[in-house]
Amino acid sequence: MKLDSKETFLAPIGDVGGTTGYAHTSVTSDVRVTANKYLQDSLLINKLTERVYELLLADLRYQRERVKNYGMGR
């Protein structure tokens, strides 16, 4: 295998900078249907935002632990 040769495995559909350029159209339509369902139901959108908030808090805790423990065993 040559180092200077490049193979393209996924051709971008749209914007190369984002992941949506590589999404399959049926997946995109499924996401739209689900998003519309959540946007129409205030209880679902409330549950979703609460869950996202919980995940963000957990991620912040993990990041603090990693930073605090970084270099401790050296």
Side-chain angles (χ1 to χ4, degrees):
M1 181 172 145
K2 291 184 177 181
L3 293 177
D4 59 344
S5 67
K6 293 182 181 180
E7 293 184 31
T8 303
F9 296 103
L10 294 172
I13 298 169
D15 182 18
V16 179
T19 57
T20 56
Y22 296 95
H24 191 271
T25 46
S26 67
V27 173
T28 304
S29 66
D30 290 345
V31 170
R32 284 185 186 142
V33 168
T34 303
N36 283 330
K37 181 175 125 179
Y38 272 80
L39 290 173
Q40 299 302 318
D41 190 343
S42 61
L43 183 61
L44 282 176
I45 197 75
N46 190 32
K47 284 183 180 180
L48 176 64
T49 54
E50 287 293 322
R51 182 64 181 138
V52 169
Y53 184 71
E54 289 172 5
L55 292 171
L56 286 171
L57 287 178
D59 187 50
L60 285 172
R61 277 194 303 271
Y62 296 141
Q63 287 182 28
R64 275 191 228 116
E65 288 175 12
R66 282 194 303 265
V67 168
K68 185 172 60 173
N69 295 329
Y70 182 73
M72 293 294 285
R74 294 182 183 181

